[in-house]
């Protein structure tokens, strides 16, 4: 499971600079978050994989049997495959920092990568994640920076589950920040600004 395990889009950045992985939401593709990634981390090399599961024609990173009901076996498959993909790119690039950004379904696969390989990312932005299960973190998240963003009226990702995810991550030692807005499942400017601050701080070694 190497660099070509997924169809992906890559944008070069500064040699030896950060490596940013971006993960699209359901129905998106490898183009969805590339421009946002470039805006948030101007010096980074960007890698944007396309989900390898089709749900009625909409690309996703793992299967589900209903809204908020995950096929846990397929999530495990996808997490293992994506971990190999990320590690292959990291090994080739030898970056100064490894960053992750995911929205919705992309945030869910990114969260699963964080649970399964806590040392993989230096900083992650999980925009509107939905983790309806109790994660098993395979190691410590101490020193890892994680931003959760969420809408207080999000019909897809209930605020109580965002708060529960925050508690899980904190309990495992992560440096967690939560950025809320008053709306639903959409991404708003304050989320983008919070992500920019996080990535800039990591790039500067803050």
């Amino acid at each position: 499971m190497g660099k070509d395990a997924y169809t992906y889009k890559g944008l070069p950045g500064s040699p030896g600079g950060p490596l940013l992985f971006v993960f699209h939401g359901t129905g998106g593709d490898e183009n969805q978050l590339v421009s946002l990634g470039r805006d948030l981390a101007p010096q980074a090399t960007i890698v944007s994989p396309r989900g390898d599961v089709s749900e009625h024609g909409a690309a996703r990173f793992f299967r589900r049997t209903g809204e908020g009901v995950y096929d846990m076996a397929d999530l495990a498959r996808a997490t293992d495959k994506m971990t190999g993909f990320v590690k292959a790119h990291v090994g080739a690039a030898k970056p100064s920092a490894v960053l992750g950004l995911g929205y919705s379904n992309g945030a869910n696969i990114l969260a699963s990568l964080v649970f399964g390989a806590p040392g993989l990312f230096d900083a992650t932005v999980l925009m509107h994640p939905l983790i309806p299960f109790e994660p098993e973190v395979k190691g410590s998240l101490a020193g890892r920076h994680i931003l959760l963003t969420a809408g207080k009226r999000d019909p897809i990702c209930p605020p109580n589950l965002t708060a529960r995810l925050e508690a899980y991550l904190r309990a495992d030692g992560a440096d967690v920040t939560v950025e809320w807005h008053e709306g639903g499942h959409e991404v708003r400017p304050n989320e983008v600004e919070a992500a920019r601050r996080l990535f800039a701080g990591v790039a500067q070694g803050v």
Side-chain angles (χ1 to χ4, degrees):
M1 287 181 289
K3 291 174 65 178
D4 299 320
Y6 288 86
T7 297
Y8 70 93
K9 183 169 186 173
L11 281 185
S14 300
L19 181 59
L20 170 61
F21 293 87
V22 295
F23 302 93
H24 64 77
T26 298
D29 62 20
E30 64 273 23
N31 298 299
Q32 185 182 48
L33 296 177
V34 169
S35 61
L36 176 60
R38 172 57 75 229
D39 178 44
L40 296 178
Q43 304 302 316
T45 295
I46 298 172
V47 176
S48 178
R50 183 199 306 168
D52 62 351
V53 168
S54 175
E55 183 179 84
H56 310 297
R60 285 175 54 84
F61 290 102
F62 58 89
R63 301 185 189 284
R64 60 182 173 181
T65 56
E67 190 69 60
V69 184
Y70 297 165
D71 179 333
M72 297 303 288
D74 196 60
L75 176 57
R77 172 206 64 83
T79 301
D80 185 54
K81 180 179 176 182
M82 188 64 77
T83 299
F85 175 81
V86 170
K87 286 181 175 178
H89 280 272
V90 171
K94 297 179 173 53
S96 59
V98 182
L99 313 174
L101 169 73
Y103 167 65
S104 194
N105 181 242
N108 298 337
I109 188 65
L110 179 53
S112 190
L113 293 178
V114 169
F115 304 149
L120 201 51
F121 292 92
D122 297 296
T124 49
V125 176
L126 304 175
M127 292 181 159
H128 302 261
L130 173 62
I131 303 299
F133 57 89
E134 184 170 338
E136 178 188 345
V137 181
K138 296 178 179 175
S140 171
L141 287 168
R144 306 295 161 175
H145 304 278
I146 300 175
L147 170 67
L148 302 176
T149 74
K152 292 181 179 177
R153 296 174 177 81
D154 192 332
I156 296 173
C157 303
N160 64 305
L161 291 187
T162 300
R164 191 176 73 163
L165 177 58
E166 176 192 4
Y168 286 142
L169 294 170
R170 282 194 195 284
D172 205 69
D175 174 8
V176 185
T177 305
V178 184
E179 184 73 25
W180 293 94
H181 64 62
E182 297 297 324
H185 201 57
E186 74 280 0
V187 174
R188 293 196 175 182
N190 65 305
E191 298 176 66
V192 174
E193 281 305 314
R196 184 179 288 112
R197 286 194 302 271
L198 176 67
F199 286 162
V202 171
Q204 293 162 11
V206 174

